[in-house]
Amino acid sequence: MSEKKLKFNSKTIHGGQEPDKAYGSVMPPIYQTSTYAQTTPGGHQGYEYSRSANPTRTALEKGLASIENGNYGLAFGSGLAAIDAVIKLLEPGDEVVSTNDLYGGSYRLFKQVFEKYGIVFHFIGMQDLDVIESHINAKTKLLWVETPTNPMMNVIDVRGVAALAKKHDVLLAVDNTFATPYLQLPLDLGADIVMHSATKYLGGHSDVVVGALVVRDKDLADRLYFIQNASGAVCGPMDSFLVLRGIKTLHVRMQRHCENGRAVAEYLAGNPKIEKVYWPGFDSHPNHEIAKSQMSDFGGMISFVPKGSSYEEAIKIVEKLGLFTLAESLGGVESLAGHPASMTHASIPKEEREKSGVVDSLIRLSVGIEDADDLIADLEQAIG
Ligand SMILES: Cc1ncc(COP(=O)(O)O)c(C=O)c1O
């Protein structure tokens, strides 16, 4: 059966994969090598040096391309390394319009690393397409979208932004870390580049740091492959293997993340000690209709604010949680809780942060795949 015809669950397991040529091993071997023997200069079997290409990384890159309905996948040493490669497509003077409510490390990379090379970033709320369009000018080369956003769970209309990108002939990149291709396929919605912190749901087991890009266009892929090799921020074969293994259970994990996410979100919304719950699955979520039209379910990421919006109360809750581990990161099988203002988003200045709702009392949950009842009992004892 042609691979393009496989449905998503089959692609997670078989997409881009073939038994290894040497012994037919079903999982790709971890080719723990930096270099490859040549019979004569240039006489090799497709691999010459592992920064340029490594067979285990190739297996992952093909798998990534398959699950995102793309043609070319690229794996990097971290999600930020993947973003770094995208921004290196630009020239000094070029402008980027980006979500204002985005992962703090992406913001830091844009502001503190790339601004000094003359790239101009506009951080804006992207719920309104007219507002986005008003920030596009002749120098704009890239629209950077994170949806759902981290940590406010805003949902951005990818089809709408893609139409703007086409109209103005600029690239659209979507950070698909929170949704994963199980829930949302940005390339199908019209994006040019899809990006992942594969550290999160794709790896799925909190044991690896990897980044990914997937594109359809050959010329764009070639420019990114050049940057990947020239800048060298690649992931190693062991890390490639771990993400590839993670992807094989992505669909079953995501199904449970979504079920548990709904149970926890509903519990929080019904708790009188909680002031606000941010989760795109609620009918009352301001972007619920868009979420429904571009996502197949709503995921396991939830943010909430305790009543009175007190910093002390938020810290008390995260310290009392037991089954939810207080930790950076998300998307693993185990449930994690985070305090964005002091952890993941500490690199965004307070005034900037608060403009998008990341107040000091906000708590973010990555709901794992444990029993939902146990997760709710843990929240109950912590919230009191
Ligand atoms: C939405 C999002 N994008 C990008 C990143 C950066 O990825 P990495 O930590 O793998 O560099 C993260 C990390 O938390 C993230 O949550």
Side-chain angles (χ1 to χ4, degrees):
M1 184 172 188
S2 140
E3 200 206 295
K4 293 258 180 212
K5 290 209 182 108
L6 290 179
K7 291 191 176 170
F8 183 78
N9 297 351
S10 307
K11 281 188 182 178
T12 63
I13 297 161
H14 301 289
Q17 307 305 303
E18 54 186 4
D20 182 62
K21 290 197 176 70
Y23 297 105
S25 73
V26 168
M27 277 303 281
I30 300 161
Y31 280 97
Q32 195 70 49
T33 186
S34 60
T35 192
Y36 306 80
Q38 306 192 13
T39 48
T40 183
H44 55 74
Q45 298 174 52
Y47 294 92
E48 49 191 331
Y49 186 60
S50 281
R51 170 164 35 72
S52 312
N54 169 285
T56 319
R57 199 175 86 222
T58 304
L60 170 63
E61 291 177 332
K62 289 188 167 164
L64 290 164
S66 170
I67 57 173
E68 283 288 358
N69 284 353
N71 296 326
Y72 306 96
L74 299 95
F76 293 85
S78 69
L80 286 179
I83 302 175
D84 179 273
V86 174
I87 307 301
K88 285 176 177 161
L89 292 167
L90 308 179
E91 305 281 340
D94 286 351
E95 298 196 6
V96 181
V97 181
S98 162
T99 329
N100 59 356
D101 158 27
L102 81 169
Y103 170 57
S106 311
Y107 176 87
R108 181 180 54 201
L109 176 66
F110 294 164
K111 285 293 286 182
Q112 296 187 35
V113 177
F114 282 108
E115 251 183 22
K116 68 171 188 269
Y117 295 108
I119 296 170
V120 178
F121 294 88
H122 302 276
F123 296 96
I124 61 165
M126 282 194 167
Q127 276 75 3
D128 185 340
L129 294 174
D130 292 337
V131 172
I132 302 178
E133 192 161 28
S134 72
H135 284 83
I136 299 177
N137 61 47
K139 294 183 185 156
T140 310
K141 294 286 155 38
L142 175 70
L143 306 181
W144 185 269
V145 167
E146 205 178 288
T147 182
T149 59
N150 179 1
M152 296 311 297
M153 310 301 152
N154 287 313
V155 173
I156 292 154
D157 175 3
V158 178
R159 278 190 201 90
V161 184
L164 284 181
K166 298 275 167 304
K167 178 174 163 193
H168 294 278
D169 196 22
V170 299
L171 288 173
L172 168 60
V174 175
D175 182 336
N176 205 27
T177 300
F178 268 35
T180 83
Y182 176 80
L183 296 179
Q184 164 177 290
L185 290 159
L187 299 179
D188 284 2
L189 297 170
D192 301 289
I193 302 173
V194 56
M195 174 265 151
H196 277 277
S197 169
T199 315
K200 310 294 168 12
Y201 288 104
L202 299 190
H205 296 76
S206 307
D207 51 9
V208 71
V209 175
V210 166
L213 299 177
V214 179
V215 303
R216 284 189 178 156
D217 180 72
K218 164 99 172 67
D219 175 58
L220 182 57
D222 286 344
R223 288 161 65 206
L224 288 166
Y225 282 126
F226 173 81
I227 294 166
Q228 182 194 38
N229 183 42
S231 286
V234 293
C235 56
M238 180 71 193
D239 291 352
S240 303
F241 175 87
L242 286 171
V243 175
L244 196 55
R245 183 170 68 166
I247 288 173
K248 286 174 191 279
T249 55
L250 178 67
H251 51 306
V252 281
R253 286 185 286 107
M254 284 307 292
Q255 185 179 350
R256 184 61 62 85
H257 282 296
C258 290
E259 289 163 12
N260 285 358
R262 176 176 295 279
V264 167
E266 284 172 356
Y267 158 76
L268 289 170
N271 187 320
K273 294 199 171 148
I274 301 303
E275 190 162 302
K276 280 192 193 139
V277 185
Y278 300 94
W279 183 65
F282 289 133
D283 290 348
S284 57
H285 185 284
N287 318 120
H288 180 65
E289 288 309 314
I290 292 178
K292 266 198 334 203
S293 79
Q294 67 187 23
M295 298 170 72
S296 57
D297 206 336
F298 305 105
M301 294 302 300
I302 302 167
S303 292
F304 69 98
V305 174
K307 203 138 247 166
S309 196
S310 116
Y311 171 82
E312 289 71 28
E313 184 57 24
I315 298 299
K316 221 164 69 193
I317 292 173
V318 292
E319 284 178 354
K320 274 170 94 178
L321 285 167
L323 199 53
F324 281 87
T325 303
L326 176 61
E328 303 268 355
S329 205
L330 61 108
V333 289
E334 59 289 288
S335 292
L336 301 181
H339 179 245
S342 64
M343 297 167 75
T344 44
H345 291 66
S347 49
I348 305 182
K350 187 173 160 74
E351 321 77 73
E352 275 301 311
R353 240 197 295 122
E354 295 200 336
K355 268 192 230 159
S356 57
V358 188
V359 292
D360 283 352
S361 55
L362 189 81
I363 296 171
R364 189 190 75 183
L365 300 179
S366 168
V367 179
I369 63 169
E370 301 93 337
D371 278 299
D373 290 350
D374 290 336
L375 297 175
I376 290 170
D378 190 33
L379 286 162
E380 181 75 15
Q381 64 76 28
I383 293 166

